[in-house]
Amino acid sequence: MTDVTVRRGQMRHDGQTTPRGGKDPIAELAWIRSPGVTVLIICGIRVFFHIIGQGVFYCQRCGAERRYRRRSGRKFFTLFFVPVVPLNKVGQHVQCTTCRTRFHPGVLTLSPAAEQGASAR
């Protein structure tokens, strides 16, 4: 791998001037350059969910008893769209399998009678 160095104050490929160190951090992170070969590395962060429970609940959007999936999410560092390094957890939610609306897990404690009484007021 060749060292990507640019003189201080010189314009980069995106029109910005280089930082004090003279090295172009964008070129170092995204590209690996060697004579005659240029490789693009695709990386990023994405949230992946997995199901931790299922059941039936009263969906506020559908207005009826529906099946749900309780899901937990976690951020992952991805390399070429493949999750490689697990990062922090992002929380849980309840998803209606019919309308796919996501709710706070506290919605599981509500009963249809209490929900209809609250909406009639």
Side-chain angles (χ1 to χ4, degrees):
M1 180 170 122
T2 60
D3 191 20
V4 180
T5 358
V6 181
R7 289 187 194 151
R8 195 152 122 209
Q10 188 176 8
M11 294 294 280
R12 295 190 320 209
H13 61 280
D14 60 355
Q16 301 292 323
T17 57
T18 57
R20 288 186 190 185
K23 293 190 177 190
D24 187 359
I26 294 173
E28 287 182 346
L29 293 176
W31 297 90
I32 298 174
R33 296 181 182 167
S34 61
V37 177
T38 302
V39 179
L40 176 66
I41 297 176
I42 301 172
C43 61
I45 295 177
R46 182 172 172 197
V47 177
F48 288 90
F49 291 98
H50 67 277
I51 298 171
I52 58 173
Q54 296 183 15
V56 177
F57 81 122
Y58 179 79
C59 177
Q60 297 171 350
R61 184 170 183 202
C62 297
E65 295 277 327
R66 300 286 188 213
R67 294 184 50 83
Y68 74 87
R69 292 186 298 225
R70 188 169 186 163
R71 300 174 5 154
S72 177
R74 183 175 208 125
K75 285 185 182 180
F76 277 85
F77 172 77
T78 59
L79 186 61
F80 296 107
F81 306 106
V82 176
V84 180
V85 179
L87 302 173
N88 58 335
K89 293 183 179 182
V90 293
Q92 296 182 8
H93 66 263
V94 173
Q95 183 180 30
C96 175
T97 57
T98 305
C99 66
R100 296 189 182 257
T101 304
R102 296 176 183 174
F103 299 99
H104 186 272
V107 77
L108 296 177
T109 61
L110 298 176
S111 67
E115 185 65 33
Q116 290 171 354
S119 64
R121 292 181 196 172

